[in-house]
Amino acid sequence: MEKGGEFVVGSENVHLEDPWFTGMDTEETEMGQPNSESGEASNVVFSTEAPLVSKDSSTSGSCSCSLKKIKSRVAAKDTEFGQKDKSGHDKKVSRQYRIELGQLFQGAVSSHDWELAESLILSADPQTLNDALCVTLDAIWFLSTQQELYGITELIKKIIANGAFDFTRAALRTSFLASCVSACQSRTMSLADTVTVMAQRLHERLQECHGDEVLKAEAGAKVQKFTEWALKCIGSHSRCQGNNDRVNHCSAIEIQLQLTAFKTFLDLAGNQLTGKDFTEAFDAACFPLTLFSSSFDAGWASGISATVIQGLLDMLVEGGADNVNQCFLEASRFGSTELVRILLQIAQRNSLDVDVDLALGFASHYCKIGTMECLVEEGNAMAFLGPLMRAAERGCMQVVQWFVKRGCRDMELCLALTAATSSSQVGVAAYLLPHVPKHVLTALSIEILKAAGERSGGSLDGVAFLLRSDFLGDPAATYAVADSIAKSDDEAVAPDLRAFVREHWSEAAFLDGLKQGEEHYRNVMRILKRGESPISLRDLPAPLRVGIAYMPLYRECIEVDGRLLSQRLRGQLVEAVRMLEGGASEEVNQGRELVAILEHHLPPFLVRAPSNK
């Protein structure tokens, strides 16, 4: 939806101006990315696609680069900068210097040369220090030894001591990246394939959202760029660890090191990070998991790959994130079952309330069966009625069947049948009807028809289906209920329903059908006796004469899908059989039995083969 100057992707609060988007742009520009572009709809700077480190840098690709070369470049740049500084140039205006310094810093961090990285920050201005803080914090999700933990935490401390201050951007960005790392560890495909899968999932997700198509396209492009940035970052660090286009699976010890590093950063940031910052970081961490959710194996949330993201989210909640329930509902809507499972666990550990029943409604509306299973079995969601009725009303058979198999109360089934009937979802009504106990149908028969008529929206196909199906299991009772509706002067009975039942299903309709049958028989007799057609109908065999007289009625009767004929049709059929049999039998007065008698008088080649109706 569109709200002011922002665009919300689904219900994920993915705004064009969200700080966790803004927080990913500067590093791409100052730390090795080419020029940036500014979105027309906002003042946010978004970087163009480029490698994490420029191609001409000796630090790109593999991490087997020579540290001597890096250090020689540093010395050369320091000399160059010194000359510029002596000539009166402020180092803040030397954009190219900052870019190259950022590239060198990335190489040093990737190579775990903490001494070199520390020497580089001495030449950095405040903005470059903020970028360096982001780059260093990104690297914590790839730590593997205690020595690396010590080196990177000391580097973070010195960057902050030298003037880095943008803790918000660093927290949001690294939360997003950590989520991507955790998600990619669960995958068996390459990172290149992951980009394709992510793009397709993002496209599908935007299609599910309402809003301006231009804004949706802009938001989608920007979200995709940042996710691709995260995957490139992951790929770069993975290659440094000797993994070719694959994400290394962390051990429990490595995960603990990574979470310790993040906790150190939070402690250093202190009250510089507000509750709003923690809330937005929580949202940033949850968002990528909804894109990757379709590729997770069942039970991923309980495996070691999810340990990092669980620890990260726990720390963000401890810091003041208050949007656990919101992210939980969004994950349920988009069928991110493993994220739902994680958020359930976080809510339980932190004694937070999450609305599992509302989440079940979201999941069922979008037919996310796996998520529905999780919410009921692990979240103890119990409010089936609302989601079941809405699914029946929409004709979503898969969801209706799931609820019925899980076990619904009699009243819930009855109300769902009413919802399906009112919206003329005949297939769903046919499925539900056998599951509603007869005593419930009998007690509420009139109310069911009244409610269905009131909310029919102009179509009474659902009501006609119930009557044709003999929904009370007793033709006399079903006809009696219909006649009661036709004769009712209750204002709660919709006029359209009353008129429909009166015309087709009432006792008056039956009597009218008898009259029509008598009139039809008299007309046929007139034609036989006084007709001037060259074909003498009186000379035809009796079965053919019967076929000519009653074939239209026969066809109309056999085309009815159900056990009962309308009272109007039944009246016409009763009169036809009475004429053919020389008087109707009192025992034979139901539609299907009467049709069988009529078939007996028709030529065999005109009789339809028996069906399983």
Side-chain angles (χ1 to χ4, degrees):
M1 65 180 177
E2 192 176 350
K3 183 179 179 182
E6 61 190 21
F7 172 76
V8 183
V9 180
S11 56
E12 285 284 2
N13 298 330
V14 181
H15 307 297
L16 293 182
E17 299 184 356
D18 261 358
W20 67 270
F21 276 126
T22 313
M24 297 181 203
D25 66 282
T26 308
E27 183 273 332
E28 277 96 35
T29 311
E30 306 299 337
M31 286 293 178
Q33 294 279 11
N35 294 335
S36 62
E37 57 189 21
S38 182
E40 295 179 3
S42 71
N43 59 0
V44 180
V45 179
F46 295 92
S47 66
T48 55
E49 267 188 59
L52 188 65
V53 182
S54 62
K55 292 181 180 178
D56 61 346
S57 171
S58 61
T59 62
S60 62
S62 170
C63 291
S64 60
C65 58
S66 170
L67 293 180
K68 291 182 180 180
K69 291 183 179 179
I70 297 177
K71 292 176 180 178
S72 65
R73 290 185 64 203
V74 172
K77 286 298 166 187
D78 283 342
T79 301
E80 178 185 344
F81 178 76
Q83 292 173 349
K84 289 183 178 180
D85 196 40
K86 289 177 183 178
S87 62
H89 288 282
D90 192 311
K91 67 179 179 179
K92 287 187 178 180
V93 302
S94 180
R95 179 179 177 81
Q96 184 61 34
Y97 176 84
R98 287 160 55 197
I99 291 175
E100 295 196 19
L101 182 65
Q103 294 172 356
L104 295 172
F105 184 82
Q106 282 184 316
V109 172
S110 297
S111 303
H112 299 160
D113 188 340
W114 313 120
E115 181 183 353
L116 174 59
E118 290 175 12
S119 68
L120 290 170
I121 63 176
L122 298 177
S123 305
D125 65 354
Q127 182 58 59
T128 307
L129 285 170
N130 287 331
D131 299 339
L133 179 61
C134 288
V135 170
T136 307
L137 201 57
D138 291 343
I140 69 176
W141 308 115
F142 306 94
L143 296 178
S144 58
T145 67
Q146 186 70 40
Q147 184 179 3
E148 292 173 6
L149 171 64
Y150 177 79
I152 208 163
T153 51
E154 289 300 307
L155 180 59
I156 291 173
K157 291 176 183 177
K158 290 182 180 178
I159 292 172
I160 295 173
N162 276 271
F165 59 87
D166 198 347
F167 300 103
T168 297
R169 179 164 67 99
L172 301 183
R173 192 176 99 149
T174 202
S175 298
F176 183 87
L177 177 62
S179 180
C180 291
V181 172
S182 187
C184 288
Q185 286 178 345
S186 73
R187 303 181 60 84
T188 57
M189 65 178 66
S190 67
L191 286 170
D193 292 334
T194 298
V195 172
T196 303
V197 171
M198 175 277 303
Q200 177 61 32
R201 180 67 182 115
L202 178 60
H203 174 74
E204 292 170 357
R205 177 161 177 177
L206 288 172
Q207 291 302 110
E208 296 173 353
C209 302
H210 302 290
D212 182 87
E213 291 300 321
V214 174
L215 288 177
K216 284 168 64 175
E218 288 179 357
K222 291 167 183 176
V223 172
Q224 183 168 342
K225 271 187 180 179
F226 291 123
T227 309
E228 289 177 353
W229 159 79
L231 295 175
K232 287 176 182 177
C233 183
I234 294 168
S236 175
H237 282 280
S238 296
R239 287 190 293 275
C240 288
Q241 295 175 338
N243 299 304
N244 186 20
D245 204 24
R246 298 280 175 181
V247 182
N248 190 33
H249 289 262
C250 296
S251 66
I253 295 176
E254 291 170 335
I255 290 171
Q256 190 57 47
L257 294 175
Q258 294 162 11
L259 293 175
T260 299
F262 184 68
K263 182 64 167 61
T264 299
F265 163 74
L266 294 181
D267 291 341
L268 291 170
N271 59 10
Q272 298 297 314
L273 288 173
T274 66
K276 182 173 181 288
D277 295 331
F278 282 104
T279 296
E280 290 169 346
F282 194 95
D283 189 45
C286 289
F287 178 72
L289 297 179
T290 66
L291 296 183
F292 291 106
S293 61
S294 60
S295 65
F296 291 154
D297 296 328
W300 173 81
S302 302
I304 194 168
S305 296
T307 305
V308 165
I309 198 63
Q310 290 212 39
L312 171 70
L313 294 176
D314 272 329
M315 280 189 268
L316 294 176
V317 169
E318 291 171 8
D322 61 3
N323 57 337
V324 176
N325 188 56
Q326 177 187 343
C327 291
F328 175 71
L329 295 176
E330 291 159 356
S332 300
R333 173 187 175 181
F334 289 103
S336 304
T337 305
E338 295 304 313
L339 178 56
V340 167
R341 187 169 281 120
I342 286 175
L343 295 177
L344 278 172
Q345 295 167 5
I346 287 174
Q348 183 178 13
R349 285 196 296 270
N350 293 277
S351 301
L352 300 174
D353 291 328
V354 287
D355 196 335
V356 291
D357 290 327
L358 182 56
L360 180 63
F362 282 136
S364 63
H365 183 81
Y366 292 95
C367 201
K368 307 300 183 181
I369 300 298
T371 304
M372 293 164 62
E373 293 275 0
C374 175
L375 290 167
V376 171
E377 294 179 0
E378 300 177 37
N380 299 315
M382 296 182 290
F384 285 12
L385 178 58
L388 173 61
M389 287 185 65
R390 287 188 288 272
E393 200 168 39
R394 296 193 317 272
C396 187
M397 181 68 80
Q398 186 180 7
V399 171
V400 170
Q401 290 176 334
W402 184 86
F403 276 115
V404 171
K405 290 174 182 176
R406 293 292 307 189
C408 298
R409 293 189 288 270
D410 293 346
M411 204 55 213
E412 291 173 335
L413 293 170
C414 183
L415 290 171
L417 175 64
T418 304
T421 302
S422 66
S423 55
S424 296
Q425 298 292 348
V426 173
V428 173
Y431 172 77
L432 288 169
L433 184 56
H435 291 89
V436 183
K438 292 301 178 186
H439 72 273
V440 175
L441 291 172
T442 300
L444 299 174
S445 57
I446 293 179
E447 297 304 319
I448 290 171
L449 295 179
K450 284 167 57 177
E454 182 181 3
R455 298 183 296 172
S456 65
S459 173
L460 293 168
D461 290 346
V463 173
F465 164 77
L466 283 186
L467 296 172
R468 290 197 309 266
S469 300
D470 186 17
F471 75 112
L472 297 180
D474 178 358
T478 299
Y479 284 133
V481 167
D483 191 58
S484 175
I485 294 287
K487 294 176 179 177
S488 173
D489 57 1
D490 186 348
E491 293 181 357
V493 177
D496 289 348
L497 174 65
R498 183 186 290 110
F500 169 75
V501 175
R502 183 179 294 160
E503 181 180 356
H504 297 284
W505 291 91
S506 65
E507 186 65 26
F510 175 74
L511 296 176
D512 193 47
L514 289 176
K515 291 179 182 178
Q516 289 179 359
E518 292 174 0
E519 184 64 27
H520 178 72
Y521 180 78
R522 284 196 295 269
N523 289 336
V524 170
M525 289 299 101
R526 292 190 188 105
I527 292 172
L528 288 176
K529 293 177 180 178
R530 292 179 288 183
E532 297 179 356
S533 171
I535 300 175
S536 179
L537 298 181
R538 287 176 297 179
D539 298 333
L540 294 176
L544 282 178
R545 293 200 301 271
V546 173
I548 292 171
Y550 291 109
M551 197 62 198
L553 176 62
Y554 172 69
R555 285 176 177 168
E556 190 174 358
C557 290
I558 62 176
E559 287 173 2
V560 171
D561 184 14
R563 296 177 57 190
L564 296 186
L565 299 175
S566 70
Q567 287 281 51
R568 180 176 295 280
L569 270 182
R570 191 170 74 93
Q572 295 178 38
L573 196 54
V574 165
E575 185 60 24
V577 169
R578 187 177 71 82
M579 293 297 110
L580 293 173
E581 292 283 296
S585 171
E586 292 296 328
E587 292 81 15
V588 181
N589 58 11
Q590 298 307 320
R592 296 303 170 189
E593 297 168 328
L594 294 169
V595 169
I597 294 174
L598 178 57
E599 285 179 340
H600 179 72
H601 291 273
L602 293 171
F605 66 86
L606 293 179
V607 175
R608 177 175 294 185
S611 66
N612 294 324
K613 286 183 183 178

